[in-house]
Amino acid sequence: MGASHSNTAIVSGHVAKGYETVQEMFKKNVETGRERDAQLCVYVDGEKVVDLWGSAEGDTTYTADTLQCIFSSSKAVTAIAVAQLAQRGLLNYSNPVANYWPEFGQNLKAEITIADMLKHEGGMPHLDTSVNLDDVQPHNLGNGNLTSILAKQSPLYPLNTPREYHNLTAGWVINEVFRRQSPGNVTIGSWLETEITKPLEIDVYMPVPEQLMPKVHNLKAFSKNMAFLQSLLPNALGGQVDYNIIVFVKVLASFQRRFLEEKRGYAPDFPDMDPGMDPGQFLTTFFNRTKWRQGESPHGNIHASARGLGKLAGAMANGGTLGGVEILSSEGWNHLHGNPTVQVDGSMGNCRTEFTQSGVNMFNDYPDDIMGERVLKSGRNGFVGWMGFGGSVMMWHPRLNLGFGYTCTLLTWWDLANSKARKLQKEAARCAVLAKEEKEKKVDTNNNISSVASS
């Protein structure tokens, strides 16, 4: 019963010697239907050691180069673009947003800095007025509709912490700063194409170019009832929800509060987000729209392949450079990783995050981690980056020089730790450690042999 798609599943690609267990884990996820379509790409020491993709239903149009929305994994990509601007001296994280965009300073926001926004401490996790999809289209970003909504917003903070996760709002704010400060006054989307996508030759886009729209695969999601039924079935018998029914009911309530219900008077991020709609219907109806793919929401709607994310993450793991292409100088790399602070996040059940000034998270284990923090970070100690709603991950491990990219089309909306990717991360890191130890052992053996021969 566990191999529910074993007769139809297609898994392709390759892994380097020593990473076979990663391949087996990925293959099992696809063959059991825990993933419908997925991609995984891992770089170690600047070399691609894992390059896998698969479809549970045998969809041959799903390839290694297929694009899908990566949701908040976009934050890691955007952070790199912002660090590029900072390394050119065009932006200072410590400066108030209002230094670059004076209108933003109204309604008690004059002292909110760039770093505050990117660390989710801007007091704007949501807005009082919904944003229309038309207003995040590239040709409309300068029309004043979006900027007016953002500028008029008053900050509101949770009790006892300045941090509350900003789903999309900080990305919209930083895009306006970017548009005002970048050479040629381009947006993050245009900058991404010329300064990251083309130099590295990767499939990472915002918006998706018209000619590449056919490469985008639609997202899928279980209905609430289907997810509920899956939670009743043990994983060993093919259950596709990691939580048991008791935990799943709590997760469902948390999802409803975090994403759909009006909070403290906030409006939905977009008018079409209906709190009463089933998550499976809402997610696939809204986020498969062409207009969503055509817009610029830098913290939520980048579309990419795992190959693209893995290669970019590999460059970050390697100090900002890969294959002779410099994305960040050492100064820019330090900007990206600079000034991390640990704070409880008011929207994450008292879990702490450790965001840097550029908006990537440092995953470090602490002795006093609570259960939620252990779930979020297990297997990720030492990684930097972030993950996207439903399953995607873009992270890198500087000490291991490991870049990790994961994408998928089945949105496991109940799993905010992206557990399938997390387990693959843990295994990839384990394999990387063993490979380095084996390499060092061979070097030591050769040196000893040379020493004996010379004596």
Side-chain angles (χ1 to χ4, degrees):
M1 290 180 68
S4 59
H5 290 78
S6 59
N7 293 328
T8 59
I10 299 173
V11 177
S12 304
H14 75 278
V15 297
K17 183 180 178 181
Y19 292 84
E20 294 84 0
T21 51
V22 177
Q23 184 174 30
E24 286 305 309
M25 287 180 67
F26 180 87
K27 183 179 179 182
K28 183 178 180 181
N29 284 344
V30 175
E31 289 185 344
T32 57
R34 292 171 64 78
E35 289 292 15
R36 290 299 190 267
D37 311 292
Q39 304 164 335
L40 172 62
C41 185
V42 180
Y43 277 73
V44 175
D45 293 332
E47 299 294 328
K48 186 162 55 178
V49 297
V50 175
D51 185 23
L52 298 170
W53 61 97
S55 170
E57 294 162 347
D59 184 353
T60 57
T61 67
Y62 189 84
T63 70
D65 299 315
T66 295
L67 304 174
Q68 49 263 294
C69 184
I70 61 170
F71 293 98
S72 283
S73 292
S74 303
K75 290 177 171 66
V77 180
T78 293
I80 295 167
V82 174
Q84 288 180 319
L85 203 64
Q87 82 177 22
R88 299 188 187 191
L90 299 172
L91 178 146
N92 187 313
Y93 294 98
S94 299
N95 283 344
V97 173
N99 279 24
Y100 308 106
W101 173 14
E103 296 84 355
F104 183 83
Q106 61 185 288
N107 293 330
L108 304 177
K109 299 196 301 302
E111 302 302 319
I112 294 174
T113 67
I114 299 294
D116 290 335
M117 290 303 305
L118 295 174
K119 289 183 178 184
H120 307 273
E121 296 178 8
M124 297 171 59
H126 299 279
L127 302 170
D128 296 333
T129 304
S130 296
V131 172
N132 289 309
L133 268 178
D134 283 336
D135 292 327
V136 298
Q137 302 301 297
H139 58 276
N140 287 332
L141 289 174
N143 69 11
N145 291 349
L146 176 60
T147 55
S148 177
I149 292 172
L150 296 169
K152 290 178 181 177
Q153 182 68 31
S154 297
L156 184 62
Y157 294 91
L159 295 174
N160 303 320
T161 179
R163 185 169 295 176
E164 184 173 14
Y165 192 74
H166 291 39
N167 291 333
L168 297 173
T169 49
W172 291 330
V173 169
I174 202 64
N175 205 15
E176 179 60 17
V177 173
F178 211 99
R179 193 177 69 84
R180 290 167 180 252
Q181 292 300 113
S182 61
N185 302 117
V186 300
T187 61
I188 292 174
S190 296
W191 180 278
L192 171 63
E193 181 180 8
T194 59
E195 302 298 326
I196 296 177
T197 295
K198 286 184 176 179
L200 267 185
E201 298 180 335
I202 57 177
D203 287 324
V204 179
Y205 303 99
M206 181 189 69
V208 178
E210 190 63 34
Q211 69 274 18
L212 296 181
M213 282 291 180
K215 291 180 64 175
V216 182
H217 247 54
N218 279 343
L219 302 168
K220 307 166 186 176
F222 285 155
S223 67
K224 185 165 57 177
N225 287 341
M226 176 58 74
F228 183 87
L229 290 173
Q230 289 291 332
S231 71
L232 293 171
L233 189 64
N235 292 151
L237 297 179
Q240 296 174 13
V241 173
D242 287 330
Y243 307 116
N244 63 40
I245 184 61
I246 297 173
V247 176
F248 181 72
V249 169
K250 295 180 180 178
V251 169
L252 183 61
S254 176
F255 173 86
Q256 194 78 9
R257 287 194 304 270
R258 181 172 175 183
F259 290 100
L260 294 177
E261 291 178 356
E262 292 188 8
K263 296 178 291 184
R264 303 201 301 274
Y266 290 132
D269 290 340
F270 295 99
D272 296 338
M273 289 185 169
D274 180 1
M277 190 178 291
D278 187 285
Q281 181 183 0
F282 155 70
L283 295 170
T284 55
T285 299
F286 187 86
F287 293 113
N288 285 331
R289 291 182 180 184
T290 298
K291 190 168 284 189
W292 171 251
R293 298 166 181 171
Q294 291 172 331
E296 283 199 32
S297 292
H299 277 183
N301 85 318
I302 288 176
H303 288 68
S305 66
R307 278 181 173 175
L309 297 183
K311 191 172 185 180
L312 181 55
M316 297 304 103
N318 199 45
T321 301
L322 188 69
V325 178
E326 182 182 274
I327 298 300
L328 287 176
S329 65
S330 58
E331 179 188 4
W333 196 90
N334 288 333
H335 281 311
L336 178 66
H337 297 83
N339 298 317
T341 54
V342 179
Q343 288 280 5
V344 169
D345 189 296
S347 69
M348 294 188 179
N350 292 320
C351 290
R352 295 166 295 184
T353 52
E354 190 173 348
F355 281 100
T356 72
Q357 62 188 5
S358 202
V360 290
N361 193 66
M362 314 284 272
F363 288 83
N364 294 308
D365 293 339
Y366 297 106
D368 61 343
D369 279 343
I370 63 174
M371 177 60 71
E373 291 167 338
R374 292 198 293 271
V375 171
L376 184 71
K377 297 189 291 184
S378 176
R380 290 182 170 134
N381 190 43
F383 276 93
V384 183
W386 198 235
M387 51 199 164
F389 175 71
S392 71
V393 168
M394 181 186 159
M395 297 186 193
W396 54 94
H397 197 301
R399 183 175 61 80
L400 296 178
N401 197 346
L402 184 156
F404 183 94
Y406 188 80
T407 56
C408 54
T409 62
L410 179 63
L411 301 179
T412 48
W413 46 265
W414 56 87
D415 181 5
L416 301 182
N418 295 14
S419 299
K420 286 172 286 189
R422 176 174 57 79
K423 293 172 183 177
L424 288 164
Q425 275 181 269
K426 183 177 182 179
E427 185 61 19
R430 188 188 72 84
C431 292
V433 169
L434 292 176
K436 289 178 186 293
E437 290 176 350
E438 184 65 25
K439 185 177 181 180
E440 290 170 0
K441 187 187 302 182
K442 287 181 179 180
V443 170
D444 183 60
T445 300
N446 291 335
N447 286 339
N448 287 335
I449 291 173
S450 298
S451 299
V452 171
S454 62
S455 62

